[in-house]
Amino acid sequence: MRFFKKKKTNESNKAVPSQSQMVDPNKKDGLKVSLQENIQILKDTLGKSTDIVFREIRIGKEGSIKAGIIYTDGLTNTTSLQEFILETLMLDTKDIELQVKLSTGQSIISILKDFSMTVGEIKDFTTFEVLYNGLLSGDTIILIDGYSQGLVISNKHWIERGVTEPVAQTVVRGPREGFSENLRVNTALVRRKLKDPNLWVESKVIGTRTKTDIALMYINGVADEKIVKEVHLRLDNIEIDGILESGYIEELIEDSPHSPFPTIFNTERPDVVAAALLEGRIAILVDETPFVLIVPALFIQFFQSSEDYYQRADISSFIRLLRFGSFGISLLAPAFFIAITTFHQTMLPPALLISLTAQREGVPFPAFFEALLMELTFEILREAGVRMPRSIGSAMSIVGAFVIGTAAVEAGVISAAMVIIVSITAIASFVSPTYDIAIAVRLLRFGFMGIAASFGLFGIMVGLIALVLHLCSIRSFGIPYMSPLGPFNISDQKDTFIRLPRWAMITRPRLINQQNIVRQQDSASAKPKPPKNEE
């Protein structure tokens, strides 16, 4: 056994190269003139990976020129490779006219690029860094023997989910299309809605190993140039080996990383991104994720749903006020119940006080531990429902909460009133149209429960003052988080707690957008009027 272990260790050490022998694919070394030397460098760097296909062919008259085709199996469109690349190189390059051009001394690389290759996007390169980026992204690489220059041909193709209905942000009325994991599909979905030549898309690559494509979208002349420069600066300062989801970017560029409240908005709906761009915001699209980041993000924005702008103004205003009320209930309902039943019993009507006292007569725990136990139990059930298969997750959450709540009351561990309070709180937390603000409320609820159990209503008031001060101190890319409430802006109140009719919303948010404020004609002329009867 000792000999076997020693032999296994030696074999593993032989198979894995040392740190000094490893080739860094990020080095900007130039291509070699020899085709065989370039291919050998690629094989050594890529570890002879089986999904990297190397094919050596001969092109030109009587096959006088050696060429190499390299692509990644599974990421490259093999049909396009065979019909438009291999066929062109092996058959069309035998044309007599092409040979005449070659005889003039013109570069073979430029001939293939300008006259032969029948593909959409093609560019030449001279460094291994560009080669690796294209090869591992699904492009096809062409190398010519005798040239320290190559061609990268864009023919990416992989299995993707496609455009489906958003899962996290559903609406009753509105578009049913959502972003996918393909960056170009996502930019196209936004382009469909904003056919404006001033909609600019700027690309970046972040991640030394993942080489993740990032797209920055904004409307030139509407978005604030200072905010655009700030976004560029923060993205350029990111130094990380990999970006796998937009949450990586969000955590690296947000203003207040220690605050429970999100300062960057994320969505999987193209119509939400288009509306944000029209207001002067900036969208950050990350490849391989359907969630798009929007900056700057304000507190009010997390209570606005895209459906608010598809319904009538009075209906939308009522639903939005309902969301703010649900926010207060989910944040403070357990804390108020704990404070009143523990310190301020005289605030209750005598009949209600007698009923609550009778319910709590056999309960061995104080109100705080009751609420804490029920809240933690519901959080566990909610998380279990999310992780379980979709067909049984919701049923398990509902049945589990009902069975546990009923059993706890009958066993005398929890009072019936506490079950009602926790249930209403849980239902109110689902009213929020965005998941991020609901998570923040769930965290802060436990803090308010603790100060209510310690100091009663006085502690709740102090906690609310501290919370408001904290919210007023946050900024999102230089914009006050609580605007247009703090600082107060009367002109932007048309889309805060309530939404005015569309014909009355003639300007964009002023703090977000400092230029091109007017977005439609004057409200007096835009207001709909009934037709006059002609006699």
Side-chain angles (χ1 to χ4, degrees):
M1 290 296 294
R2 295 176 60 186
F3 174 74
F4 175 76
K5 290 183 178 180
K6 184 177 180 180
K7 183 178 180 180
K8 183 178 180 181
T9 304
N10 291 336
E11 289 179 351
S12 62
N13 291 336
K14 184 178 179 180
V16 180
S18 64
Q19 191 72 22
S20 60
Q21 294 175 335
M22 290 183 180
V23 182
D24 186 5
N26 295 318
K27 284 186 177 180
K28 298 182 180 180
D29 296 338
L31 291 177
K32 310 300 180 182
V33 176
S34 172
L35 174 63
Q36 294 297 329
E37 188 175 356
N38 288 329
I39 292 178
Q40 188 60 44
I41 292 174
L42 289 175
K43 290 182 177 180
D44 293 339
T45 305
L46 298 170
K48 299 180 181 179
S49 302
T50 56
D51 61 336
I52 307 297
V53 180
F54 296 87
R55 168 123 185 237
E56 297 184 33
I57 61 175
R58 288 187 173 271
I59 63 176
K61 189 174 183 179
E62 297 180 356
S64 59
I65 303 171
K66 293 173 60 177
I69 307 292
I70 308 101
Y71 65 94
T72 303
D73 189 18
L75 296 180
T76 303
N77 189 341
T78 55
T79 302
S80 173
L81 173 65
Q82 295 171 3
E83 295 181 356
F84 300 106
I85 299 178
L86 288 176
E87 184 176 344
T88 299
L89 290 175
M90 301 178 71
L91 299 178
D92 296 346
T93 56
K94 295 181 179 180
D95 189 88
I96 298 177
E97 182 180 354
L98 180 61
Q99 296 299 325
V100 173
K101 292 179 180 293
L102 292 175
S103 64
T104 62
Q106 190 174 2
S107 171
I108 296 179
I109 298 296
S110 61
I111 293 295
L112 294 177
K113 177 182 176 182
D114 299 335
F115 297 98
S116 299
M117 304 306 300
T118 57
V119 291
E121 183 180 355
I122 180 172
K123 58 183 180 180
D124 56 86
F125 65 94
T126 57
T127 63
F128 279 100
E129 182 186 23
V130 179
L131 188 153
Y132 292 128
N133 291 342
L135 176 63
L136 299 178
S137 297
D139 296 330
T140 298
I141 306 299
I142 298 179
L143 299 176
I144 306 296
D145 190 28
Y147 286 84
S148 60
Q149 189 179 13
L151 294 177
V152 53
I153 302 173
S154 178
N155 60 334
K156 304 179 183 68
H157 177 75
W158 52 78
I159 299 175
E160 58 185 43
R161 181 168 56 92
V163 179
T164 58
E165 184 174 355
V167 178
Q169 299 174 349
T170 58
V171 295
V172 177
R173 180 177 179 178
R176 292 291 188 270
E177 59 186 10
F179 289 119
S180 69
E181 285 75 15
N182 190 314
L183 178 62
R184 279 293 156 251
V185 171
N186 295 341
T187 56
L189 289 173
V190 180
R191 283 282 188 190
R192 284 184 58 193
K193 298 183 179 299
L194 296 177
K195 303 175 181 66
D196 186 355
N198 291 315
L199 177 60
W200 288 5
V201 181
E202 300 177 0
S203 299
K204 295 180 180 293
V205 177
I206 301 179
T208 57
R209 296 191 181 276
T210 59
K211 306 292 184 182
T212 306
D213 293 322
I214 309 293
L216 207 66
M217 298 189 73
Y218 62 93
I219 300 179
N220 184 43
V222 176
D224 192 339
E225 295 181 359
K226 294 181 180 179
I227 300 180
V228 174
K229 293 180 180 179
E230 180 65 22
V231 175
H232 274 290
L233 179 62
R234 297 190 188 187
L235 291 176
D236 293 338
N237 288 335
I238 295 177
E239 296 182 3
I240 192 172
D241 60 346
I243 299 292
L244 301 180
E245 213 274 337
S246 59
Y248 284 52
I249 300 293
E250 179 179 357
E251 196 169 356
L252 291 170
I253 66 173
E254 62 183 347
D255 288 76
S256 302
H258 302 295
S259 174
F261 291 95
T263 55
I264 297 178
F265 189 84
N266 67 81
T267 180
E268 56 179 341
R269 299 186 60 88
D271 56 331
V272 174
V273 174
L277 294 175
L278 289 172
E279 289 184 344
R281 291 183 167 90
I282 303 166
I284 304 173
L285 293 83
V286 182
D287 196 17
E288 300 298 331
T289 176
F291 288 92
V292 175
L293 306 180
I294 299 176
V295 297
L298 308 181
F299 178 76
I300 297 297
Q301 186 178 354
F302 292 92
F303 295 90
Q304 298 171 345
S305 173
S306 60
E307 194 175 9
D308 294 348
Y309 305 94
Y310 308 144
Q311 300 282 1
R312 289 174 50 189
D314 51 353
I315 299 175
S316 302
S317 299
F318 170 75
I319 295 176
R320 188 175 295 180
L321 290 174
L322 195 64
R323 294 193 194 109
F324 282 102
S326 300
F327 173 81
I329 292 174
S330 61
L331 179 65
L332 300 174
F336 269 111
F337 184 81
I338 293 171
I340 291 175
T341 56
T342 305
F343 295 99
H344 312 283
Q345 296 90 345
T346 55
M347 295 179 61
L348 297 175
L352 180 58
L353 180 60
I354 293 173
S355 176
L356 293 177
T357 304
Q359 293 178 23
R360 294 186 47 80
E361 186 175 357
V363 177
F365 305 111
F368 171 70
F369 286 102
E370 277 189 86
L372 185 63
L373 180 62
M374 287 301 298
E375 287 288 347
L376 290 176
T377 301
F378 190 83
E379 292 293 335
I380 293 172
L381 287 172
R382 174 156 43 186
E383 190 66 17
V386 172
R387 306 304 169 194
M388 292 192 67
R390 188 172 301 178
S391 58
I392 63 174
S394 59
M396 191 213 68
S397 299
I398 297 172
V399 174
F402 176 77
V403 171
I404 292 176
T406 304
V409 172
E410 293 179 354
V413 180
I414 303 294
S415 64
M418 183 60 71
V419 175
I420 296 173
I421 294 296
V422 173
S423 301
I424 294 175
T425 302
I427 294 172
S429 65
F430 288 114
V431 176
S432 174
T434 55
Y435 182 74
D436 291 344
I437 199 71
I439 286 288
V441 173
R442 287 161 60 181
L443 293 176
L444 292 173
R445 186 188 305 152
F446 290 97
F448 275 97
M449 288 165 52
I451 61 176
S454 302
F455 305 103
L457 292 178
F458 176 76
I460 294 177
M461 293 299 108
V462 173
L464 284 175
I465 293 173
L467 179 62
V468 172
L469 292 176
H470 171 70
L471 290 173
C472 292
S473 65
I474 300 176
R475 288 180 175 267
S476 177
F477 287 81
I479 306 299
Y481 191 61
M482 288 300 292
S483 61
L485 300 176
F488 186 79
N489 189 333
I490 187 63
S491 64
D492 287 347
Q493 300 305 312
K494 57 182 176 294
D495 192 22
T496 305
F497 291 108
I498 62 173
R499 181 181 78 82
L500 295 184
R502 178 66 62 183
W503 46 264
M505 301 171 62
I506 62 175
T507 58
R508 297 182 175 89
R510 294 185 179 274
L511 286 178
I512 296 176
N513 184 278
Q514 301 295 333
Q515 54 185 352
N516 199 347
I517 295 294
V518 179
R519 67 165 117 196
Q520 67 181 35
Q521 57 184 335
D522 184 69
S523 60
S525 58
K527 182 177 180 181
K529 301 178 181 65
K532 296 181 179 180
N533 294 327
E534 296 182 0
E535 296 180 358

